[in-house]
Structures are given as C-alpha cells and as structure tokens.
Amino acid sequence: IETLLSNLTLPEYRSRYRTRRELRGRNAEEVLAKMEKWMLTLDPKDARYEHHLLEGLWVSWGLNKVHQPLLKKLLSASDYRVRAAAVEVLRFTGHQVKNQADLLKQAAADEHSRVRLGAIVSASWLGKSKGMPVLEAAKLKTLDEWMVYTLNGIQVKLN
C-alpha cells in the first residue's frame, strides 16, 4: 500500500489512475490509515502538493469513505483546478458530508468560474430548499454564458 500511495505522485496520469483502481480493491481501513501517514510525508513546498493531496481525496472517495477534513482543505486550495475537483467530489458524496449545501454555497461564491460552475451544477442534486441558496450565491458573482444557461436550467428543474 505504501508503494501504491507513493505512485500517486507520479507525473503519468494513467499510472495514478491504475494506482487508485488498485487501492479501491484493498481494505479501506488499512488504506486510509496509511494514506494519513503518506499525506504527512508530502512536501508542502512542492508545486504539486495540492494535486498530490487531491489524489489522496480521490482514493478516499473510491473507497466510499471521503476524507472530510481533506475535502474541506482542498475546497479552499490555492489552485482553482483542485478546488473544482473537490467540488466534484462534494457533488457526489453528499450522503457522507452533512454540510454539503453550505460548502457548495461557499464554492458558488468562488473567484474562479470553473469552481462556481461546478457548484451550480451540484445544486441540481440538492433539491429546492438546499439548491436554491447555492444558486442565489452564484448570482452574486459575474456569470458567463455557460453559467447562465446552466443556472436557468437548474432553476426550472428545482421549481
């Protein structure tokens, strides 16, 4: 498991993908315990540090035990691509994350449009009472044509 976890820092996407698949087939508790230790060995000064943590989040998601502290940390990452990927994880794991709607509302107010768009799309999974506040938060920022189209479609679906 330690070797597999170290593979998550490899530059080749397919190697990391195959590693995550292999880890999904292992004992979840063992993998998650070793992943905690692995994350502590990562260098925060590494330019790809947040991406390496994201790989860890994907491993926990694949084991159906999302590492919630890591998820919350990555939702405020400096790299917008990491934040957008964390929103995607949040979208599909609301059954595990009790404050999913609140976190999506924060993401809907993100400075980057890709993160906001992910939050808007995720709102469609929440139902009217939780989804509409996410959409309202998104409206407080500038919306591009893709966001407007998506937001309008989701509002119709939720109403």
Side-chain angles (χ1 to χ4, degrees):
I1 291 175
E2 291 87 349
T3 302
L4 289 168
L5 290 167
S6 70
N7 287 350
L8 296 175
T9 62
L10 293 172
E12 297 86 8
Y13 167 75
R14 297 302 295 174
S15 297
R16 296 189 317 269
Y17 169 77
R18 283 190 216 91
T19 296
R20 290 192 308 270
R21 283 193 56 174
E22 177 63 28
L23 287 168
R24 274 196 308 258
R26 304 290 178 107
N27 177 282
E29 302 308 321
E30 187 179 355
V31 171
L32 292 172
K34 292 185 179 186
M35 188 181 84
E36 288 280 345
K37 293 176 185 172
W38 170 77
M39 289 189 303
L40 294 173
T41 68
L42 297 173
D43 180 7
K45 294 177 185 164
D46 184 342
R48 296 190 43 84
Y49 174 69
E50 290 178 335
H51 185 270
H52 299 330
L53 291 177
L54 179 60
E55 291 285 344
L57 179 64
W58 287 336
V59 166
S60 71
W61 181 20
L63 294 167
N64 199 28
K65 295 184 182 289
V66 171
H67 192 292
Q68 294 188 37
L70 181 57
L71 173 63
K72 290 172 185 162
K73 178 178 183 171
L74 295 179
L75 285 169
S76 60
S78 61
D79 186 338
Y80 75 89
R81 294 168 296 188
V82 173
R83 293 192 310 271
V87 168
E88 186 80 5
V89 172
L90 182 59
R91 171 183 173 187
F92 292 108
T93 59
H95 63 287
Q96 293 179 32
V97 182
K98 291 183 182 179
N99 59 341
Q100 179 191 32
D102 295 332
L103 293 171
L104 286 173
K105 194 172 172 183
Q106 291 171 12
D110 193 272
E111 64 191 45
H112 199 277
S113 60
R114 188 185 297 181
V115 179
R116 292 195 312 269
L117 181 59
I120 291 168
V121 171
S122 298
S124 69
W125 291 64
L126 299 178
K128 185 174 184 176
S129 65
K130 292 182 179 179
M132 290 305 281
V134 174
L135 299 181
E136 294 303 319
K139 288 180 186 178
L140 298 175
K141 293 281 193 173
T142 304
L143 301 174
D144 62 28
E145 67 178 289
W146 297 106
M147 286 182 198
V148 170
Y149 178 78
T150 305
L151 191 133
N152 289 340
I154 292 171
Q155 282 182 318
V156 168
K157 177 187 181 267
L158 293 178
N159 282 323

